[in-house]
Amino acid sequence: MDKEITSVNLHFAGSNKPAGGVKAALIDMDGVLYDSMKNHTAAWFRMATELGIDCTRNEFYAYEGMTGAATINILFRRAYGRDASPEEAKALYARKVQYFIEMGEPALMPGATQMLSTLRDSGITCVLVTGSGQHSILDRISHDYPGIFAPGMRVTALDVTHGKPDPEPYLKGLQLAACQPSEAIVIENAPLGVLAGHRAGCFTVGVTTGPIPEAEMTGAGADIVYSSMPEFAQKLPTLINAFKQ
Ligand code: MG
């Protein structure tokens, strides 16, 4: 028995043991379905440095999942000691989006198609739960991953008041799937997203697809962590079966 299944069994020993297997998977988009975080962090870094704000590209990996305005406020408080006005935040986020689009379409995450096919073939309802409101990617989902997400099975930045790490996006995803937290798994790549899934009461899978150390996912509440998407895709059938026991 490998270490991942041992950790699943440890989790099941608690009070949150799912009954009757997994009914829904609540799936993040950036860094899970698309290898897009490199472009997002580059776009944030370009926008911020053009403003003269001292920052590193890697810090933007840690902010993944926050709303655009929340990320801009981190920069503003550091540089100016205040929040951005709504107008400033809107304009600067639009600039970041433009820089992201200029870098071209990000590639599909290797292993994501296999992961989604396994979920679908297991009869698990797939719900997209993303902090993104960028139509440049959202509009591609049904083309890139056909037959996975039924119409309406998505929660985006446009649907929530509070971004991750607030549990609201995942709680809304549970509503769409008509599931209890104990009937769903969350699939995330970023600590704030993991925290949101954990706070929503779901079994939360962390998949390392960027430079964030696995320990940060565990620290945020991940019930299990995989070192890559291909590894998760390969081991997902075992995980699904473990939930049935
Ligand atoms: Mg993500």
Side-chain angles (χ1 to χ4, degrees):
M1 184 173 286
D2 61 27
K3 64 181 172 64
E4 287 84 2
I5 299 308
T6 300
S7 110
V8 169
N9 290 342
L10 285 173
H11 179 82
F12 284 3
S15 59
N16 202 27
K17 179 177 179 178
V22 182
K23 294 181 181 169
L26 312 180
I27 304 162
D28 179 45
M29 183 175 76
D30 286 296
V32 170
L33 301 183
Y34 293 95
D35 192 9
S36 48
M37 284 312 301
K38 288 177 286 197
N39 291 6
H40 279 297
T41 55
W44 278 115
F45 183 69
R46 181 180 171 190
M47 187 277 280
T49 52
E50 282 181 358
L51 283 180
I53 295 177
D54 189 34
C55 62
T56 67
R57 177 171 166 187
N58 269 1
E59 74 175 272
F60 294 103
Y61 283 99
Y63 306 151
E64 186 191 345
M66 288 184 188
T67 63
T71 298
I72 289 165
N73 280 339
I74 288 175
L75 299 171
F76 263 56
R77 285 173 203 155
R78 181 192 307 164
Y80 312 127
R82 66 173 178 86
D83 283 349
S85 70
E87 295 75 22
E88 288 169 326
K90 187 177 178 185
L92 291 172
Y93 185 65
R95 191 183 301 177
K96 179 264 170 181
V97 168
Q98 183 57 36
Y99 292 160
F100 177 82
I101 292 171
E102 285 175 9
M103 278 179 278
E105 294 186 349
L108 305 195
M109 182 63 72
T113 295
Q114 183 186 345
M115 180 263 292
L116 293 173
S117 298
T118 297
L119 292 169
R120 180 196 57 204
D121 295 347
S122 302
I124 294 170
T125 300
C126 293
V127 183
L128 185 74
V129 181
T130 176
S132 175
Q134 290 196 209
H135 290 286
S136 61
I137 296 190
L138 286 166
D139 292 347
R140 291 173 49 194
I141 285 280
S142 57
H143 171 266
D144 291 337
Y145 298 107
I148 302 294
F149 299 98
M153 286 294 164
R154 60 169 58 180
V155 179
T156 76
L158 308 176
D159 302 311
V160 296
T161 306
H162 307 290
K164 303 167 187 176
D166 193 280
E168 183 190 11
Y170 283 113
L171 292 174
K172 291 215 165 186
L174 287 168
Q175 285 178 356
L176 289 176
C179 273
Q180 297 299 313
S182 60
E183 297 172 319
I185 61 171
V186 163
I187 301 169
E188 267 286 353
N189 71 302
L192 294 182
V194 165
L195 187 54
H198 178 72
R199 286 176 173 168
C202 299
F203 184 94
T204 301
V205 176
V207 186
T208 302
T209 63
I212 295 172
E214 291 186 21
E216 291 197 25
M217 306 257 236
T218 307
D223 294 287
I224 192 166
V225 180
Y226 296 91
S227 61
S228 71
M229 184 58 74
E231 187 207 8
F232 175 48
Q234 183 194 348
K235 295 182 176 174
L236 180 56
T238 308
L239 182 69
I240 291 171
N241 283 332
F243 273 93
K244 292 176 183 170
Q245 293 163 7

